[in-house]
Amino acid sequence: MIQRFLETHIQKDLFSGKAICIMGARQTGKTTLLKQLFATRQDALWLNADLPQVREMFIRVSLGTLRSIIGSHKIVVVDEAQRIEDVGLKMKLITDNFPQVQLILTSSSSFDLSQKINEPLTGRKWEYRLYPLSFGELASHTDMMDEIGNLPLRLLYGSYPDIVTHPGDEQRRLDALTDNYLYKDVLEWGGIKKTDKLTKLLQALAYQIGSEVSYNELGNMLQLDAETVERYISILEKAFVIFRVGSFSRNMRNELKFAKKVYFYDNGIRNAVIHNFAPIDVRPDTGALWENWMIGELRKRQDLLHGNTSLYFWRTTTQKEIDCIEERDGIISAYEFKWNPRKKSSKQDAFLAAYPNATLHTITPDNYFEFLSVGMMG
């Protein structure tokens, strides 16, 4: 069992008078994490809202029926809670009327759960996101040097738990995960009827990681209007397939102010979308894979540490660019992700001239492990 860093944070929030909401893509280990956390508890009630009978149980729920359902249990876990109609209002009944009960909700999409639950549970919940395994979690489970040696595998196959724990069978399992998750759940949640358009959009985004994304250009390519493209991207983002990073702009006229980049939460999903698992040393997109993986690791760290942190990229109209800007409490840290440590960039000087108080780091395969270990490993 690979211990998730999120486990410690959840333990601290147990029985604090608030519901705990854990969101993340399917197969990232939400249920496994909770099963591990409550392995010795006999007073935990598990309800899986993927099952019709569980959803029916909550159709006309009342305090009396909730009292009957909960019984003497002190922990109530509702998996895939977004599938319950008016789930926020019904979970509010539990938090307000059963203060001795710890309510825990999981969801494999942020949009359904957040739309249906945020307003009723305002001030009554702790919210967390669980991603594919992080470098720190994997290095803590085995050995730092072993995980460093696995870097080519992570760039190709990503770090979903089922992929990591089945070496040698990664491609088949990623194909199954993509088919069962992306092209079923996302289509169902988003009400998307044009499966081929979604597939082509994902492929286009996969080829453009690290590049600025234009909704108009994507629309022209897919024969969709820009608003539909943006809606599809928003659905994919809320289903934890991709995430957007905006441009950083503070004081220069020639800085791009409204540009967006799109990254995949997991390299393996990205490569499965384009059906390319060629070895790292023969790929033309290794630099893009490196950037995508590092940005994803930063995003995991950002959420785990709960700091007031935002991620951006920086680019000017004269094509000066920095891969990643991290702003935390007004402190600006800039990062260039270079697969080839010997490849120099002249663009860093322009950024430091504009932001002399910022720090700038070049992250390569030679030093990334030191960078990712900060604040993430005990």
Side-chain angles (χ1 to χ4, degrees):
M1 180 67 66
I2 301 173
Q3 185 173 8
R4 307 304 302 266
F5 291 158
L6 190 57
E7 182 178 327
T8 302
H9 295 262
I10 293 173
Q11 284 178 324
K12 291 177 181 177
D13 287 335
L14 289 173
F15 299 102
S16 62
K18 297 186 179 184
I20 294 174
C21 301
I22 306 173
M23 297 184 291
R26 285 187 187 267
Q27 304 298 313
T28 52
K30 299 183 294 296
T31 304
T32 302
L33 167 63
L34 293 175
K35 291 283 188 183
Q36 172 74 8
L37 189 60
F38 303 131
T40 60
R41 301 282 306 230
Q42 302 299 314
D43 56 354
L45 173 65
W46 297 82
L47 300 171
N48 184 356
D50 270 337
L51 300 175
Q53 58 266 38
V54 171
R55 297 197 296 274
E56 290 170 9
M57 189 186 300
F58 285 95
I59 288 178
R60 295 180 183 85
V61 76
S62 65
L63 281 178
T65 55
L66 281 176
R67 192 170 288 110
S68 176
I69 292 169
I70 295 171
S72 60
H73 294 98
K74 298 300 182 185
I75 297 169
V76 176
V77 179
V78 184
D79 264 331
E80 300 301 327
Q82 82 282 350
R83 297 183 66 96
I84 295 173
E85 186 177 352
D86 295 324
V87 62
L89 291 172
K90 291 164 184 177
M91 297 304 110
K92 180 176 180 291
L93 283 175
I94 297 177
T95 57
D96 287 355
N97 295 281
F98 300 87
Q100 78 281 9
V101 172
Q102 176 60 64
L103 176 64
I104 302 177
L105 312 174
T106 78
S107 174
S108 51
S109 64
S110 66
F111 57 101
D112 271 349
L113 188 61
S114 62
Q115 286 177 358
K116 296 177 181 178
I117 211 169
N118 273 345
E119 187 172 342
L121 284 183
T122 298
R124 295 176 172 86
K125 63 180 172 60
W126 299 113
E127 193 171 287
Y128 288 105
R129 290 174 176 80
L130 187 67
Y131 299 111
L133 294 160
S134 69
F135 169 82
E137 288 168 332
L138 289 164
S140 294
H141 178 68
T142 55
D143 177 81
M144 174 75 80
M145 295 309 298
D146 284 347
E147 190 52 32
I148 290 172
N150 285 329
L151 178 60
L153 293 177
R154 305 296 175 242
L155 296 184
L156 279 185
Y157 301 119
S159 55
Y160 270 79
D162 188 53
I163 307 304
V164 169
T165 56
H166 290 88
D169 196 28
E170 295 95 342
Q171 185 172 341
R172 184 173 70 97
R173 290 175 180 271
L174 275 168
D175 288 339
L177 178 61
T178 304
D179 290 340
N180 294 334
Y181 169 55
L182 291 183
Y183 300 121
K184 289 183 182 177
D185 282 356
V186 173
L187 290 170
E188 177 186 344
W189 293 331
I192 299 174
K193 295 181 173 61
K194 298 178 180 179
T195 310
D196 61 323
K197 299 294 187 184
L198 178 69
T199 303
K200 290 178 181 177
L201 174 60
L202 272 168
Q203 290 172 341
L205 294 173
Y207 284 118
Q208 292 186 31
I209 53 173
S211 301
E212 184 185 343
V213 170
S214 166
Y215 301 141
N216 287 319
E217 289 180 8
L218 288 169
N220 291 334
M221 182 191 309
L222 303 172
Q223 296 182 319
L224 294 170
D225 60 77
E227 288 185 3
T228 300
V229 169
E230 186 170 10
R231 183 173 75 85
Y232 282 13
I233 288 177
S234 178
I235 290 168
L236 289 166
E237 187 169 34
K238 290 171 180 176
F240 301 107
V241 179
I242 60 174
F243 61 96
R244 285 176 280 193
V245 174
S247 53
F248 181 83
S249 176
R250 291 295 182 272
N251 58 15
M252 289 176 62
R253 290 183 180 178
N254 66 341
E255 289 176 327
L256 300 187
K257 295 177 174 59
F258 305 107
K260 299 283 186 183
K261 286 185 179 184
V262 172
Y263 294 96
F264 281 69
Y265 275 108
D266 186 77
N267 276 37
I269 295 295
R270 184 266 181 181
N271 290 328
V273 163
I274 60 173
H275 309 291
N276 186 354
F277 292 100
I280 287 297
D281 56 359
V282 299
R283 299 179 70 109
D285 61 351
T286 301
L289 288 176
W290 173 243
E291 181 177 336
N292 190 88
W293 187 75
M294 284 300 311
I295 292 283
E297 289 295 312
L298 268 179
R299 184 66 183 266
K300 294 171 188 176
R301 183 170 73 177
Q302 181 185 50
D303 268 18
L304 185 70
L305 297 180
H306 287 290
N308 185 24
T309 306
S310 299
L311 294 181
Y312 307 92
F313 72 95
W314 182 78
R315 182 179 292 168
T316 69
T317 55
T318 56
Q319 303 304 305
K320 303 294 185 182
E321 179 181 357
I322 297 295
D323 293 330
C324 180
I325 308 296
E326 187 177 45
E327 186 176 31
R328 183 194 300 263
D329 298 324
I331 298 172
I332 300 172
S333 303
Y335 307 104
E336 281 277 84
F337 304 123
K338 294 193 175 300
W339 180 250
N340 183 352
R342 292 175 295 279
K343 190 175 181 180
K344 302 300 181 183
S345 172
S346 61
K347 301 175 182 179
Q348 299 180 1
D349 293 340
F351 178 78
L352 291 176
Y355 298 96
N357 293 326
T359 59
L360 195 150
H361 312 271
T362 299
I363 310 300
T364 74
D366 291 339
N367 65 6
Y368 77 96
F369 45 90
E370 300 170 355
F371 168 67
L372 290 181
S373 297
V374 175
M376 293 291 285
M377 299 174 62

